[in-house]
Amino acid sequence: MTSRPARDGDVLTATGISKSFGGVRALRDVGLTVSPGTICALIGPNGAGKTTLVNVLTGVYTQDAGDITFKGQDIGRTGADRRARAGMVRTFQRVRLFPQLSVLENVLAGQWSRRPFGGRPAATKERALRELEEFGLLKHAHRSPAGLTFADCRRVELVRCLLGDPALILLDEPAAGMNPEEAQRFVEHVAEVQRERDLTILLIEHNMNVVMSLASWIYVLDFGQLIAAGTPGEVRRDERVIKAYLGAGE
């Protein structure tokens, strides 16, 4: 199983990605492509290798084999900091906000991923406040994130990503821990923001309602291998996907 063929202008292309930890083969010959202005999803049972792949794509891990191209440039051996400065930003499975900083200060940290030694502080702060207002978070701007709901913390993370003017956002399990109502509101907000700003997103998610609502193209991993790729309708009907999820008890 391979990803769809790469095209000129793709934001992200990964081919032949393999990664082992000791004697454990976490990824085997995995490939994917992400086109500009789209939401692609990466799904699979627990232990399928999804987060390992995200860590390889973002430079946390170095692949044992394979190539990664971002905005037409080979980044396969560059560090996570350089990939962030190039416009690849991410969230994590577990919320990662600075509890000692205010919500506004957490959001402002996002611009440092792209402009660590420059920028216009006053204009950036003004923009951050506008973003917080759009996401319904302005009233929390000067509070610690420790008092926020889980869903609000996820929104703060997304605003922080947006402040870095990303070329690609990788959302790692953003709906994890949300109840169905919170997840639905999150889907609606992400869809609206993505459409209005023509964002490019790679979504890693277990919640199939979220995936099917947002993604136009889905990649499916199982035991470190890509077993299916296609539209939501195609993936939903794929016997290999059904078997993988049923076999995982999902």
Side-chain angles (χ1 to χ4, degrees), residues 70-185:
F70 182 59
K71 298 192 300 183
Q73 300 296 315
D74 180 3
I75 61 164
R77 301 293 165 179
T78 63
D81 57 336
R82 289 183 61 184
R83 298 185 200 197
R85 285 199 296 274
M88 182 186 294
V89 301
R90 68 172 294 184
T91 64
F92 295 83
Q93 283 188 10
R94 296 186 178 182
V95 171
R96 295 194 181 183
L97 297 176
F98 302 107
Q100 71 274 26
L101 301 180
S102 69
V103 167
L104 174 60
E105 289 166 335
N106 269 277
V107 168
L108 288 170
Q111 63 123 4
W112 287 89
S113 65
R114 299 295 301 275
R115 295 176 290 275
F117 305 111
R120 299 166 54 199
T124 302
K125 181 178 179 180
E126 188 175 312
R127 178 186 168 190
L129 290 170
R130 289 198 306 270
E131 296 280 13
L132 287 171
E133 183 175 22
E134 180 170 343
F135 279 77
L137 296 165
L138 186 58
K139 62 184 177 182
H140 302 300
H142 301 291
R143 301 175 187 172
S144 166
L148 297 183
T149 66
F150 186 83
D152 280 343
C153 286
R154 286 299 195 192
R155 281 191 281 271
V156 172
E157 287 186 317
L158 182 55
V159 174
R160 183 167 63 185
C161 286
L162 292 174
L163 213 68
D165 295 319
L168 174 66
I169 303 176
L170 296 97
L171 299 177
D172 195 355
E173 302 281 359
M178 293 186 187
N179 62 42
E181 183 179 345
E182 290 171 332
Q184 181 57 36
R185 286 201 300 268

Side-chain angles (χ1 to χ4, degrees), residues 20-25:
S20 296
F21 298 96
V24 178
R25 195 80 175 267

Side-chain angles (χ1 to χ4, degrees), residues 174-237:
M178 293 186 187
N179 62 42
E181 183 179 345
E182 290 171 332
Q184 181 57 36
R185 286 201 300 268
F186 184 81
V187 164
E188 291 170 356
H189 211 150
V190 170
E192 180 181 359
V193 172
Q194 189 274 335
R195 184 174 58 252
E196 290 178 350
R197 307 188 189 196
D198 199 29
L199 298 175
T200 305
I201 296 173
L202 178 58
L203 172 71
I204 302 88
E205 183 55 66
H206 267 99
N207 187 321
M208 295 307 294
N209 289 330
V210 172
V211 170
M212 295 298 174
S213 297
L214 286 174
S216 58
W217 191 265
I218 300 173
Y219 295 98
V220 189
L221 281 180
D222 191 28
F223 292 107
Q225 292 183 281
L226 191 67
I227 63 168
T231 65
E234 291 168 341
V235 166
R236 187 184 287 114
R237 296 187 297 270

Side-chain angles (χ1 to χ4, degrees), residues 43-93:
I43 68 172
N46 287 329
K50 301 184 299 296
T51 293
T52 298
L53 179 57
V54 172
N55 284 334
V56 168
L57 295 175
T58 56
V60 176
Y61 300 149
T62 300
Q63 70 275 18
D64 301 327
D67 300 299
I68 304 171
T69 301
F70 182 59
K71 298 192 300 183
Q73 300 296 315
D74 180 3
I75 61 164
R77 301 293 165 179
T78 63
D81 57 336
R82 289 183 61 184
R83 298 185 200 197
R85 285 199 296 274
M88 182 186 294
V89 301
R90 68 172 294 184
T91 64
F92 295 83
Q93 283 188 10

